Short mmCIF file of all heavy atoms in Angstrom, two decimals:
data_model
loop_
_atom_site.label_atom_id
_atom_site.label_comp_id
_atom_site.label_asym_id
_atom_site.label_seq_id
_atom_site.Cartn_x
_atom_site.Cartn_y
_atom_site.Cartn_z
N GLU A 1389 -2.12 15.23 19.56
CA GLU A 1389 -1.49 13.92 19.76
C GLU A 1389 -0.69 13.51 18.55
O GLU A 1389 -1.06 13.81 17.40
CB GLU A 1389 -2.57 12.86 20.05
CG GLU A 1389 -3.28 13.04 21.37
CD GLU A 1389 -4.22 11.88 21.65
OE1 GLU A 1389 -4.34 10.96 20.81
OE2 GLU A 1389 -4.87 11.90 22.72
N ALA A 1390 0.41 12.82 18.78
CA ALA A 1390 1.19 12.31 17.67
C ALA A 1390 0.42 11.19 16.97
O ALA A 1390 -0.06 10.27 17.63
CB ALA A 1390 2.53 11.77 18.18
N ASN A 1391 0.26 11.32 15.64
CA ASN A 1391 -0.46 10.28 14.91
C ASN A 1391 0.44 9.42 14.03
O ASN A 1391 0.01 8.44 13.44
CB ASN A 1391 -1.57 10.89 14.06
CG ASN A 1391 -1.08 11.92 13.08
OD1 ASN A 1391 0.12 12.23 13.01
ND2 ASN A 1391 -1.98 12.50 12.32
N LEU A 1392 1.72 9.81 13.95
CA LEU A 1392 2.71 9.03 13.21
C LEU A 1392 3.94 8.86 14.07
O LEU A 1392 4.22 9.67 14.96
CB LEU A 1392 3.12 9.73 11.90
CG LEU A 1392 2.09 9.86 10.79
CD1 LEU A 1392 2.67 10.72 9.68
CD2 LEU A 1392 1.70 8.49 10.26
N ILE A 1393 4.68 7.79 13.76
CA ILE A 1393 5.99 7.59 14.43
C ILE A 1393 7.00 7.14 13.37
O ILE A 1393 6.68 6.44 12.42
CB ILE A 1393 5.94 6.56 15.57
CG1 ILE A 1393 5.40 5.20 15.09
CG2 ILE A 1393 5.11 7.09 16.74
CD1 ILE A 1393 6.48 4.17 14.88
N LEU A 1394 8.22 7.60 13.59
CA LEU A 1394 9.38 7.03 12.92
C LEU A 1394 10.02 6.06 13.89
O LEU A 1394 10.11 6.37 15.09
CB LEU A 1394 10.38 8.10 12.51
CG LEU A 1394 9.99 9.00 11.34
CD1 LEU A 1394 10.80 10.27 11.35
CD2 LEU A 1394 10.16 8.26 10.02
N LEU A 1395 10.41 4.91 13.42
CA LEU A 1395 11.04 3.92 14.28
C LEU A 1395 12.35 3.46 13.65
O LEU A 1395 12.40 3.17 12.44
CB LEU A 1395 10.12 2.72 14.49
CG LEU A 1395 10.63 1.60 15.40
CD1 LEU A 1395 9.50 0.99 16.23
CD2 LEU A 1395 11.31 0.48 14.58
N ARG A 1396 13.38 3.42 14.47
CA ARG A 1396 14.66 2.82 14.08
C ARG A 1396 14.94 1.65 15.03
O ARG A 1396 14.68 1.74 16.24
CB ARG A 1396 15.81 3.80 14.24
CG ARG A 1396 16.05 4.74 13.10
CD ARG A 1396 17.36 5.49 13.36
NE ARG A 1396 17.45 6.70 12.59
CZ ARG A 1396 18.21 7.72 12.94
NH1 ARG A 1396 18.91 7.68 14.07
NH2 ARG A 1396 18.29 8.79 12.16
N ALA A 1397 15.46 0.59 14.47
CA ALA A 1397 15.89 -0.55 15.27
C ALA A 1397 17.09 -1.18 14.62
O ALA A 1397 17.21 -1.21 13.38
CB ALA A 1397 14.77 -1.57 15.42
N ARG A 1398 18.00 -1.71 15.44
CA ARG A 1398 19.28 -2.24 14.96
C ARG A 1398 19.35 -3.74 15.14
O ARG A 1398 18.96 -4.26 16.21
CB ARG A 1398 20.43 -1.57 15.70
CG ARG A 1398 21.77 -1.71 15.04
CD ARG A 1398 22.80 -0.82 15.67
NE ARG A 1398 23.92 -0.59 14.76
CZ ARG A 1398 24.97 0.16 15.07
NH1 ARG A 1398 25.06 0.74 16.27
NH2 ARG A 1398 25.95 0.32 14.21
N LYS A 1399 19.80 -4.44 14.11
CA LYS A 1399 19.93 -5.89 14.22
C LYS A 1399 20.93 -6.25 15.31
O LYS A 1399 22.08 -5.78 15.27
CB LYS A 1399 20.33 -6.49 12.90
CG LYS A 1399 20.26 -8.03 12.89
CD LYS A 1399 20.32 -8.58 11.50
CE LYS A 1399 20.14 -10.09 11.51
NZ LYS A 1399 20.10 -10.64 10.14
N ASN A 1400 20.51 -7.04 16.28
CA ASN A 1400 21.33 -7.47 17.41
C ASN A 1400 21.73 -6.29 18.31
O ASN A 1400 22.68 -6.39 19.09
CB ASN A 1400 22.57 -8.23 16.96
CG ASN A 1400 22.25 -9.41 16.06
OD1 ASN A 1400 22.82 -9.55 14.97
ND2 ASN A 1400 21.34 -10.25 16.49
N GLY A 1401 21.01 -5.17 18.21
CA GLY A 1401 21.31 -4.02 19.05
C GLY A 1401 20.93 -4.27 20.50
O GLY A 1401 19.93 -4.97 20.77
N ARG A 1402 21.66 -3.69 21.41
CA ARG A 1402 21.44 -3.91 22.86
C ARG A 1402 21.23 -2.62 23.64
O ARG A 1402 21.11 -2.65 24.84
CB ARG A 1402 22.62 -4.69 23.46
CG ARG A 1402 22.78 -6.09 22.84
CD ARG A 1402 23.96 -6.82 23.46
NE ARG A 1402 24.12 -8.16 22.92
CZ ARG A 1402 23.44 -9.23 23.33
NH1 ARG A 1402 22.57 -9.12 24.32
NH2 ARG A 1402 23.64 -10.41 22.77
N ALA A 1403 21.21 -1.49 22.98
CA ALA A 1403 21.03 -0.23 23.70
C ALA A 1403 19.60 -0.10 24.22
O ALA A 1403 18.66 -0.68 23.65
CB ALA A 1403 21.35 0.94 22.76
N PRO A 1404 19.40 0.64 25.31
CA PRO A 1404 18.05 0.82 25.84
C PRO A 1404 17.14 1.52 24.84
O PRO A 1404 17.61 2.31 24.02
CB PRO A 1404 18.27 1.71 27.08
CG PRO A 1404 19.71 1.55 27.44
CD PRO A 1404 20.42 1.32 26.13
N LEU A 1405 15.87 1.27 24.96
CA LEU A 1405 14.88 1.96 24.09
C LEU A 1405 14.94 3.47 24.36
O LEU A 1405 15.02 3.89 25.50
CB LEU A 1405 13.49 1.41 24.37
CG LEU A 1405 12.35 1.96 23.53
CD1 LEU A 1405 11.28 0.89 23.30
CD2 LEU A 1405 11.69 3.18 24.19
N ARG A 1406 14.84 4.24 23.29
CA ARG A 1406 14.83 5.70 23.41
C ARG A 1406 13.54 6.24 22.80
O ARG A 1406 13.19 5.92 21.67
CB ARG A 1406 16.03 6.32 22.67
CG ARG A 1406 17.36 5.96 23.24
CD ARG A 1406 18.49 6.59 22.44
NE ARG A 1406 18.40 8.02 22.40
CZ ARG A 1406 19.14 8.79 21.58
NH1 ARG A 1406 19.95 8.25 20.72
NH2 ARG A 1406 19.00 10.13 21.65
N LEU A 1407 12.84 7.06 23.57
CA LEU A 1407 11.66 7.74 23.11
C LEU A 1407 11.98 9.23 22.99
O LEU A 1407 12.18 9.93 23.96
CB LEU A 1407 10.50 7.53 24.10
CG LEU A 1407 9.17 8.24 23.74
CD1 LEU A 1407 8.64 7.76 22.41
CD2 LEU A 1407 8.16 8.02 24.84
N HIS A 1408 12.06 9.73 21.76
CA HIS A 1408 12.44 11.10 21.50
C HIS A 1408 11.27 12.04 21.74
O HIS A 1408 10.12 11.66 21.65
CB HIS A 1408 12.93 11.26 20.07
CG HIS A 1408 14.22 10.53 19.78
ND1 HIS A 1408 15.47 11.09 19.92
CD2 HIS A 1408 14.44 9.27 19.36
CE1 HIS A 1408 16.39 10.22 19.60
NE2 HIS A 1408 15.80 9.09 19.24
N PRO A 1409 11.56 13.33 22.05
CA PRO A 1409 10.47 14.31 22.15
C PRO A 1409 9.76 14.43 20.79
O PRO A 1409 10.37 14.25 19.75
CB PRO A 1409 11.20 15.61 22.49
CG PRO A 1409 12.54 15.20 23.01
CD PRO A 1409 12.89 13.92 22.32
N PRO A 1410 8.46 14.74 20.81
CA PRO A 1410 7.73 14.86 19.55
C PRO A 1410 8.32 15.97 18.67
O PRO A 1410 8.78 17.00 19.14
CB PRO A 1410 6.31 15.20 20.00
CG PRO A 1410 6.22 14.73 21.40
CD PRO A 1410 7.59 14.91 21.99
N VAL A 1411 8.28 15.74 17.39
CA VAL A 1411 8.57 16.75 16.37
C VAL A 1411 7.24 17.20 15.78
O VAL A 1411 6.40 16.38 15.39
CB VAL A 1411 9.52 16.22 15.30
CG1 VAL A 1411 9.56 17.17 14.10
CG2 VAL A 1411 10.90 16.01 15.87
N THR A 1412 7.04 18.51 15.69
CA THR A 1412 5.80 19.09 15.16
C THR A 1412 5.94 19.37 13.68
O THR A 1412 6.91 20.02 13.28
CB THR A 1412 5.42 20.36 15.93
OG1 THR A 1412 5.38 20.09 17.34
CG2 THR A 1412 4.09 20.90 15.47
N LEU A 1413 5.00 18.88 12.89
CA LEU A 1413 5.10 19.05 11.45
C LEU A 1413 4.68 20.44 10.96
O LEU A 1413 5.29 21.00 10.07
CB LEU A 1413 4.23 17.99 10.74
CG LEU A 1413 4.56 16.52 11.04
CD1 LEU A 1413 3.68 15.60 10.21
CD2 LEU A 1413 6.05 16.23 10.76
#
Side-chain angles (χ1 to χ4, degrees):
E1389 292 186 359
N1391 58 359
L1392 291 174
I1393 57 102
L1394 287 160
L1395 181 144
R1396 276 189 200 157
R1398 197 169 201 180
K1399 189 165 184 176
N1400 306 128
R1402 297 180 179 276
L1405 183 148
R1406 294 178 61 191
L1407 178 61
H1408 293 269
V1411 167
T1412 305
L1413 301 183

